[in-house]
Amino acid sequence: MLKALWLVPALPLAGFLALVIGARMPRKAGAWIGVGSVGAAMVVALMVAVRFVAAPPPGHAFTQVLWQWARVGDFEPRVALYLDPLAVIMMAVVTVVGFLIHLYSARFMQGQEGYNRFFACMNLFVASMLILVLADNLLLLYLGWEGVGLCSYLLIGFWYKDPVNARAAIKAFVVTRVGDAAMAVGLLLLFVSLGTLEIQAVMQKASDQWPAGSGMAIAAAALLLGGAVGKSAQLPLQTWLPDAMAGPTPVSALIHAATMVTAGVYLIARTHVLFALAPPVQLAVAVIGAVTLLLAGFSALTQWDIKRVLAYSTISQIGYMFLALGVGAWGAAIFHFMTHAFFKSLLFLGAGVVILAMDREHDMFKMGGLRRKMPLVFWTFLIGACSLAAVPLATAGFYSKDLILYDAWASEQGGLWLWAAGVVGAFVTALYTFRMVFLTFFGRLKTEPRIAAGAAMGVPLAILAFFAVAAGFVELPETLGDLHVFSDFVKPALPAAEVAHGATSVEAALQLVAGAASLLGILAAWWLFLLRPAMVEGMVGKRLGAAVHRFWCAGWGFDWLYGRLFVKPLVGLARINKADFIDFFYGGIAAMSEWLHRALRLTQTGRVRWYAAGVAFGAVVALAIVELL
C-alpha cells in the first residue's frame, strides 16, 4: 500500500489539470472533479497512513523514487517522496481538512463567477502542499513551497475585479517572497557546503561536519528561518496575513489551518538538526514566537471583522508553534499544528456560514443573537472557540497548548519569560475568542439570517467539531492519564524535548495556572462584552484608550512603518526613474540606427548612373586599401 503514496499528490494535481483543460465544463462537473480528486487523495492518504502505523517500514521511513529530475555534474536531484511519522501526520491533516473545506466550498461558492477556476486553484494548492510535506529533497520541497505561494496569490485575489483584493494578493506574494529569497540563498549555501539537497543526507552531513554553534550552521539555519517567518506570518513578515482575508472564506480556512502558514513550522521541524546546531537561531525562533503570539493576540482583541480576528488568531497560534520549536519541543509544535488545523478550520468555516447568512456582512457589531437562529453553527463554532481558548480537560487545544507551555518552562532551552509569554497569550486568546463568540451569537438579534447551513456545509462543521475535541486525547500529560500515543509515534522523526527541571507536582501547578488563565479570559470576555459593554466603550472613548485601540487594530503600525521605510521610497524612485535610465543606452542605439537608416535612404535616388559610379568608387577604395596594406 505504501507504493500508492505517489497518488496522494497526483490525484489533486490531476483534478487541477482536468479543471484547467475543461474550464468551460458545467459547474456540477467541476465540483465533482474538484471535491472528488481531493477526497480520493484523502482516502489513499489514510490507507497509506494506516499501513504505515500497522507495519512500519525499516527505520520508520519509506522512500519512493518516481524519476530522475536532472543531472548536472554530481548534482542529480530526484523526484522522490519521503514518508516518515512527521510526513504521515502532515499528509493526513492536509488531505482530511482539505477535503472537508472542498466539500464545504461546493455549496459556499455557488453562484460565484469563476466557480471551476476556484476549484482548480484549490486543487493545485492542496497538491503543492502535499509535494512540500512529502518531498525527499529540499529542491522538490522548494517547488511545493513556491506552489503554495503562487496559489495563495491566485486565491487571495480570486475576486480580482475589486482593487482591494488585487492589492491584498500582491502584498501576500511580495512579502512572502522576501522570506523565500532568504530560503533560496540558504538552500544554495547548504548545497555548496554539503554537496547535496537530499534532506536526510543534509541533516547527517551537517551533524558530522559542523560543530554546534559554527558559523555555517548559524547562517544556514538563519536563512531557512527567514523563509519560515515569511510563509508562517511571524515577525517581522506577518503583515500579509490579515489582508489575506480578501479571499473567499474557504481559502482563508485552507491557508490558515492546513496549508500555507504551517509550511514554516514544518520546514523548521523537518530541518531540526540544523537548528539544534545553531543555538542562537533556535533561541531566536522561540523569541519570535513568544513576541508574535502576544502582539497578534492584542491585535485580535480590537478587530471588528470576524475573519480578521481569526487571521490574527492564526498568527498568534503559529507563534505558539514557533515557541515550541525554539525550545526544542518539536513534537509539541506538530501536535499543536494538528489540533489547530481542526479547530481553526472549524472556526473559519463557521464564520463563513455566518457571513453568508448575513448577506456578506463581516462586522461582528452588526451581528448578535444568532445562537437560536443558527444552532448547528453556534454549537460547532462554540466547540472550536473552546478549543482555541484551551478550555481545560475537554478540548484538543488545551492538551496541545499545555504541552507547549510545560516544555517552555521545563526544557533546557526554555525559561520563565518564555513560559510567562505563553500564559499571558492564553489569557488574551480566551479573551478575544469569546469576545467574538458573545458579539456574534449573543445579545439581541440585529439582522435576520437569510440561509441555513445545509448538509454540504453542516457536515464538515460537525466532523471538524468532533476532531476539535477528540484530537487532543492522543497525548495526555502524566497528571491526566500519562498517554503518549502522539509523541511515541513521531519520536523516530522528532526527538523529544530535553527536560531540565520537570516534576509531576510542577507540571500539575503549571496546568492549573494555564487553565486558570484561559478560564479568566473567558470570564473577562463575558463581563466586558456581554454584561458591561459600556465599560469597554468608555475605555475606548478616552484619548489614551482610543490611541491604543487604533494602534493594536492597525497591527501595531507595521504596515505604516513598512510603507514609509520601503514602499514610499521605492515608489518615489520609480516615479523619478519613470523613463528608466538603463533604457537610455538601448534607446540611443535605436535612435542611431534610425538616423543611419534615414541617411542611407537619401542615397536611394533611382538614378542608375549614380549607382554605377558608387560601385566604381567603392571598388577603387577597396583596391587602394589592399595595395596600401
Side-chain angles (χ1 to χ4, degrees):
M1 191 63 223
L2 294 180
K3 292 183 179 179
L5 179 62
W6 67 275
L7 288 171
V8 178
L11 286 168
L13 187 59
F16 159 73
L17 294 174
L19 287 163
V20 170
I21 295 170
R24 298 184 181 276
M25 71 175 68
R27 290 186 171 216
K28 193 171 183 179
W32 274 103
I33 292 174
V35 178
S37 59
V38 178
M42 178 191 70
V43 171
V44 175
L46 294 179
M47 292 172 66
V48 169
V50 169
R51 178 69 177 81
F52 187 96
V53 173
H60 291 271
F62 170 74
T63 301
Q64 184 176 37
V65 180
L66 301 179
W67 65 82
Q68 193 73 39
W69 193 347
R71 285 187 177 89
V72 183
D74 295 332
F75 183 49
E76 297 182 353
R78 308 174 301 180
V79 175
L81 306 179
Y82 181 81
L83 192 69
D84 67 350
L86 173 58
V88 168
I89 296 295
M90 299 294 295
M91 175 184 69
V93 172
V94 169
T95 53
V96 170
V97 175
F99 169 68
L100 294 174
I101 292 171
H102 273 70
L103 180 61
Y104 172 98
S105 302
R107 170 65 181 87
F108 185 89
M109 296 300 293
Q110 276 186 358
Q112 294 293 318
E113 185 180 354
Y115 190 77
N116 290 345
R117 173 169 58 89
F118 172 82
F119 278 108
C121 294
M122 292 282 279
N123 277 29
L124 183 59
F125 207 158
V126 172
S128 298
M129 189 65 189
L130 289 169
I131 291 171
L132 192 159
V133 301
L134 293 174
D136 170 69
N137 60 78
L138 290 169
L139 188 62
L140 186 60
L141 183 150
Y142 194 67
L143 175 66
W145 186 275
E146 290 301 309
V148 296
L150 169 64
C151 293
S152 70
Y153 169 77
L154 296 173
L155 288 166
I156 292 169
F158 179 76
W159 291 313
Y160 59 88
K161 293 182 180 179
D162 186 342
V164 174
N165 298 339
R167 284 195 296 271
I170 293 171
K171 182 178 180 181
F173 193 78
V174 171
V175 173
T176 55
R177 289 292 76 69
V178 175
D180 293 356
M183 181 181 171
V185 175
L187 298 186
L188 291 172
L189 176 64
L190 289 172
F191 176 71
V192 171
S193 303
L194 304 176
T196 182
L197 285 178
E198 291 185 15
I199 296 174
Q200 303 310 311
V202 166
M203 299 303 105
Q204 184 61 48
K205 288 188 175 183
S207 60
D208 291 343
Q209 298 179 21
W210 294 342
S214 68
M216 293 299 292
I218 291 173
L223 290 166
L224 294 185
L225 176 59
V229 297
K231 273 291 189 289
S232 291
Q234 297 294 284
L235 284 170
L237 300 178
Q238 82 287 1
T239 56
W240 67 269
L241 194 58
D243 290 347
M245 297 302 96
T249 299
V251 173
S252 304
L254 196 60
I255 289 176
H256 290 249
T259 55
M260 184 167 171
V261 297
T262 58
V265 176
Y266 171 77
L267 175 67
I268 296 176
R270 176 56 78 195
T271 59
H272 66 273
V273 172
L274 286 177
F275 287 85
L277 292 173
V281 181
Q282 189 173 349
L283 176 61
V285 174
V287 172
I288 288 171
V291 174
T292 302
L293 74 88
L294 289 174
L295 296 188
F298 284 112
S299 288
L301 191 56
T302 60
Q303 303 299 313
W304 54 266
D305 184 329
I306 188 171
K307 285 179 64 177
R308 287 183 74 90
V309 175
L310 295 173
Y312 278 107
S313 170
T314 297
I315 298 173
S316 181
Q317 295 305 302
I318 299 293
Y320 274 104
M321 298 177 209
F322 268 62
L323 173 60
L325 294 168
V327 299
W330 319 106
I334 300 303
F335 184 36
H336 195 57
F337 151 76
M338 183 182 73
T339 61
H340 176 264
F342 294 130
F343 66 69
K344 185 54 63 67
S345 57
L346 170 60
L347 289 170
F348 266 111
L349 298 186
V353 178
V354 171
I355 291 168
L356 205 59
M358 296 288 103
D359 198 21
R360 306 287 175 178
E361 180 58 69
H362 289 225
D363 190 345
M364 295 182 295
F365 291 93
K366 295 180 181 178
M367 300 175 187
L370 296 176
R371 69 185 188 279
R372 293 189 182 90
K373 297 290 184 178
M374 307 177 71
L376 174 63
V377 176
F378 166 66
W379 287 109
T380 54
F381 195 92
L382 182 62
I383 290 171
C386 288
S387 195
L388 172 57
V391 171
L393 306 180
T395 62
F398 167 74
Y399 292 104
S400 59
K401 190 176 290 186
D402 175 72
L403 183 58
I404 291 175
L405 293 177
Y406 174 70
D407 287 333
W409 171 279
S411 72
E412 289 187 352
Q413 294 91 347
L416 174 62
W417 290 108
L418 295 175
W419 172 81
V423 171
V424 173
F427 171 81
V428 175
T429 300
L431 182 60
Y432 72 67
T433 299
F434 275 83
R435 169 184 178 263
M436 175 175 58
V437 171
F438 293 140
L439 290 176
T440 304
F441 294 99
F442 287 78
R444 65 181 182 85
L445 183 66
K446 298 174 184 176
T447 306
E448 188 73 26
R450 65 182 185 88
I451 67 161
M457 292 192 287
V459 170
L461 294 178
I463 295 173
L464 290 169
F466 169 78
F467 283 117
V469 174
F473 291 92
V474 297
E475 185 74 17
L476 301 178
E478 186 176 347
T479 56
L480 297 172
D482 197 23
L483 182 67
H484 304 291
V485 174
F486 186 89
S487 57
D488 289 344
F489 177 68
V490 300
K491 190 177 292 184
L494 300 172
E498 298 179 4
V499 176
H501 45 274
T504 303
S505 58
V506 173
E507 187 174 10
L510 295 176
Q511 287 166 359
L512 287 173
V513 173
S518 296
L519 294 175
L520 284 174
I522 296 172
L523 182 62
W526 173 75
W527 176 264
L528 292 172
F529 301 107
L530 203 58
L531 291 186
R532 298 287 186 273
M535 184 184 298
V536 178
E537 293 173 3
M539 288 189 292
V540 175
K542 294 180 180 179
R543 188 172 181 179
L544 178 60
V548 171
H549 186 277
R550 286 195 303 271
F551 186 55
W552 288 354
C553 190
W556 295 72
F558 278 92
D559 279 318
W560 178 89
L561 178 64
Y562 293 163
R564 279 149 184 79
L565 284 179
F566 304 112
V567 178
K568 285 193 173 181
L570 286 173
V571 171
L573 287 173
R575 286 174 178 165
I576 293 171
N577 190 31
K578 191 174 182 179
D580 194 346
F581 71 91
I582 295 176
D583 285 344
F584 287 165
F585 173 74
Y586 301 102
I589 293 175
M592 184 178 296
S593 298
E594 185 178 359
W595 180 82
L596 287 173
H597 164 72
R598 289 175 179 171
L600 291 172
R601 189 179 63 182
L602 297 176
T603 65
Q604 303 301 309
T605 61
R607 297 175 181 175
V608 178
R609 284 183 292 180
W610 280 102
Y611 295 163
V615 170
F617 177 76
V620 171
V621 170
L623 290 172
I625 292 173
V626 171
E627 184 66 27
L628 292 173
L629 294 178

Tab-separated table of all heavy atoms in Angstrom, residues 82-105:
chain	number	residue	atom	x	y	z
A	82	TYR	N	9.156	11.048	0.461
A	82	TYR	CA	9.709	10.500	1.703
A	82	TYR	C	8.621	10.485	2.758
A	82	TYR	O	8.017	11.525	3.060
A	82	TYR	CB	10.894	11.354	2.163
A	82	TYR	CG	11.563	10.874	3.433
A	82	TYR	CD1	12.485	9.829	3.394
A	82	TYR	CD2	11.284	11.470	4.660
A	82	TYR	CE1	13.107	9.386	4.546
A	82	TYR	CE2	11.905	11.035	5.818
A	82	TYR	CZ	12.819	9.996	5.762
A	82	TYR	OH	13.431	9.559	6.909
A	83	LEU	N	8.353	9.316	3.303
A	83	LEU	CA	7.287	9.155	4.294
A	83	LEU	C	7.885	8.676	5.612
A	83	LEU	O	8.496	7.608	5.677
A	83	LEU	CB	6.248	8.138	3.797
A	83	LEU	CG	4.941	8.058	4.580
A	83	LEU	CD1	4.119	9.328	4.383
A	83	LEU	CD2	4.132	6.839	4.157
A	84	ASP	N	7.724	9.511	6.637
A	84	ASP	CA	8.092	9.135	7.992
A	84	ASP	C	6.965	9.609	8.906
A	84	ASP	O	5.958	10.151	8.417
A	84	ASP	CB	9.453	9.723	8.365
A	84	ASP	CG	9.443	11.243	8.471
A	84	ASP	OD1	8.433	11.876	8.068
A	84	ASP	OD2	10.434	11.814	8.957
A	85	PRO	N	7.047	9.406	10.214
A	85	PRO	CA	5.925	9.813	11.069
A	85	PRO	C	5.520	11.278	10.928
A	85	PRO	O	4.326	11.593	10.958
A	85	PRO	CB	6.447	9.501	12.471
A	85	PRO	CG	7.371	8.342	12.272
A	85	PRO	CD	8.040	8.609	10.957
A	86	LEU	N	6.492	12.187	10.773
A	86	LEU	CA	6.160	13.601	10.588
A	86	LEU	C	5.371	13.800	9.306
A	86	LEU	O	4.345	14.505	9.285
A	86	LEU	CB	7.447	14.431	10.563
A	86	LEU	CG	7.302	15.918	10.207
A	86	LEU	CD1	6.354	16.627	11.170
A	86	LEU	CD2	8.670	16.601	10.178
A	87	ALA	N	5.824	13.188	8.213
A	87	ALA	CA	5.125	13.322	6.939
A	87	ALA	C	3.742	12.686	6.993
A	87	ALA	O	2.793	13.186	6.372
A	87	ALA	CB	5.953	12.701	5.817
A	88	VAL	N	3.593	11.584	7.727
A	88	VAL	CA	2.287	10.943	7.856
A	88	VAL	C	1.290	11.891	8.504
A	88	VAL	O	0.146	12.040	8.037
A	88	VAL	CB	2.400	9.637	8.668
A	88	VAL	CG1	1.018	9.115	9.057
A	88	VAL	CG2	3.138	8.569	7.871
A	89	ILE	N	1.702	12.541	9.602
A	89	ILE	CA	0.810	13.489	10.296
A	89	ILE	C	0.429	14.631	9.364
A	89	ILE	O	-0.758	14.980	9.220
A	89	ILE	CB	1.485	14.037	11.561
A	89	ILE	CG1	1.733	12.914	12.570
A	89	ILE	CG2	0.641	15.143	12.188
A	89	ILE	CD1	0.493	12.289	13.123
A	90	MET	N	1.417	15.223	8.713
A	90	MET	CA	1.144	16.362	7.830
A	90	MET	C	0.243	15.947	6.669
A	90	MET	O	-0.715	16.648	6.331
A	90	MET	CB	2.457	16.936	7.303
A	90	MET	CG	3.413	17.457	8.346
A	90	MET	SD	2.823	18.913	9.250
A	90	MET	CE	2.753	20.136	7.967
A	91	MET	N	0.547	14.815	6.049
A	91	MET	CA	-0.235	14.340	4.911
A	91	MET	C	-1.681	14.090	5.311
A	91	MET	O	-2.623	14.489	4.602
A	91	MET	CB	0.394	13.061	4.369
A	91	MET	CG	-0.386	12.374	3.258
A	91	MET	SD	0.357	10.805	2.756
A	91	MET	CE	0.054	9.803	4.232
A	92	ALA	N	-1.901	13.432	6.439
A	92	ALA	CA	-3.257	13.115	6.875
A	92	ALA	C	-4.052	14.373	7.167
A	92	ALA	O	-5.217	14.515	6.763
A	92	ALA	CB	-3.205	12.206	8.106
A	93	VAL	N	-3.439	15.329	7.861
A	93	VAL	CA	-4.153	16.562	8.218
A	93	VAL	C	-4.476	17.372	6.972
A	93	VAL	O	-5.594	17.880	6.811
A	93	VAL	CB	-3.329	17.389	9.222
A	93	VAL	CG1	-3.968	18.760	9.437
A	93	VAL	CG2	-3.217	16.664	10.556
A	94	VAL	N	-3.506	17.505	6.065
A	94	VAL	CA	-3.727	18.305	4.849
A	94	VAL	C	-4.863	17.712	4.021
A	94	VAL	O	-5.741	18.441	3.535
A	94	VAL	CB	-2.432	18.395	4.024
A	94	VAL	CG1	-2.714	18.989	2.647
A	94	VAL	CG2	-1.393	19.242	4.750
A	95	THR	N	-4.878	16.395	3.855
A	95	THR	CA	-5.910	15.790	3.000
A	95	THR	C	-7.283	15.796	3.670
A	95	THR	O	-8.285	16.082	3.013
A	95	THR	CB	-5.518	14.356	2.616
A	95	THR	OG1	-5.208	13.605	3.800
A	95	THR	CG2	-4.321	14.351	1.692
A	96	VAL	N	-7.342	15.478	4.963
A	96	VAL	CA	-8.644	15.444	5.649
A	96	VAL	C	-9.248	16.841	5.717
A	96	VAL	O	-10.406	17.065	5.319
A	96	VAL	CB	-8.500	14.839	7.057
A	96	VAL	CG1	-9.788	15.038	7.860
A	96	VAL	CG2	-8.168	13.358	6.974
A	97	VAL	N	-8.486	17.800	6.217
A	97	VAL	CA	-9.011	19.163	6.326
A	97	VAL	C	-9.251	19.742	4.931
A	97	VAL	O	-10.259	20.425	4.698
A	97	VAL	CB	-8.043	20.045	7.141
A	97	VAL	CG1	-8.516	21.495	7.156
A	97	VAL	CG2	-7.934	19.529	8.574
A	98	GLY	N	-8.345	19.463	3.993
A	98	GLY	CA	-8.528	19.964	2.634
A	98	GLY	C	-9.797	19.430	1.992
A	98	GLY	O	-10.520	20.171	1.317
A	99	PHE	N	-10.087	18.147	2.196
A	99	PHE	CA	-11.320	17.576	1.631
A	99	PHE	C	-12.557	18.216	2.249
A	99	PHE	O	-13.516	18.555	1.530
A	99	PHE	CB	-11.352	16.068	1.854
A	99	PHE	CG	-12.691	15.449	1.552
A	99	PHE	CD1	-13.173	15.387	0.249
A	99	PHE	CD2	-13.500	14.963	2.575
A	99	PHE	CE1	-14.422	14.844	-0.034
A	99	PHE	CE2	-14.743	14.410	2.303
A	99	PHE	CZ	-15.205	14.346	1.000
A	100	LEU	N	-12.586	18.372	3.560
A	100	LEU	CA	-13.753	18.975	4.215
A	100	LEU	C	-13.974	20.412	3.742
A	100	LEU	O	-15.113	20.848	3.544
A	100	LEU	CB	-13.587	18.927	5.735
A	100	LEU	CG	-13.591	17.515	6.350
A	100	LEU	CD1	-13.263	17.583	7.829
A	100	LEU	CD2	-14.940	16.833	6.122
A	101	ILE	N	-12.890	21.150	3.529
A	101	ILE	CA	-13.017	22.522	3.029
A	101	ILE	C	-13.521	22.518	1.588
A	101	ILE	O	-14.350	23.361	1.205
A	101	ILE	CB	-11.672	23.266	3.148
A	101	ILE	CG1	-11.322	23.481	4.630
A	101	ILE	CG2	-11.715	24.612	2.422
A	101	ILE	CD1	-9.920	24.021	4.859
A	102	HIS	N	-13.053	21.592	0.788
A	102	HIS	CA	-13.550	21.483	-0.591
A	102	HIS	C	-15.040	21.141	-0.609
A	102	HIS	O	-15.812	21.703	-1.408
A	102	HIS	CB	-12.769	20.408	-1.357
A	102	HIS	CG	-11.515	20.900	-1.991
A	102	HIS	ND1	-10.401	21.269	-1.278
A	102	HIS	CD2	-11.194	21.095	-3.305
A	102	HIS	CE1	-9.462	21.659	-2.103
A	102	HIS	NE2	-9.905	21.573	-3.347
A	103	LEU	N	-15.446	20.211	0.247
A	103	LEU	CA	-16.861	19.832	0.315
A	103	LEU	C	-17.717	21.031	0.709
A	103	LEU	O	-18.771	21.277	0.112
A	103	LEU	CB	-17.030	18.698	1.324
A	103	LEU	CG	-18.453	18.158	1.525
A	103	LEU	CD1	-19.000	17.580	0.228
A	103	LEU	CD2	-18.459	17.101	2.634
A	104	TYR	N	-17.256	21.769	1.672
A	104	TYR	CA	-17.940	22.993	2.111
A	104	TYR	C	-18.004	24.024	0.979
A	104	TYR	O	-19.018	24.698	0.777
A	104	TYR	CB	-17.181	23.535	3.322
A	104	TYR	CG	-17.580	24.882	3.856
A	104	TYR	CD1	-18.428	24.997	4.953
A	104	TYR	CD2	-17.066	26.060	3.309
A	104	TYR	CE1	-18.767	26.229	5.478
A	104	TYR	CE2	-17.396	27.300	3.825
A	104	TYR	CZ	-18.246	27.375	4.910
A	104	TYR	OH	-18.571	28.613	5.433
A	105	SER	N	-16.921	24.121	0.221
A	105	SER	CA	-16.831	25.137	-0.841
A	105	SER	C	-17.842	24.902	-1.951
A	105	SER	O	-18.287	25.858	-2.606
A	105	SER	CB	-15.420	25.154	-1.435
A	105	SER	OG	-14.457	25.417	-0.457
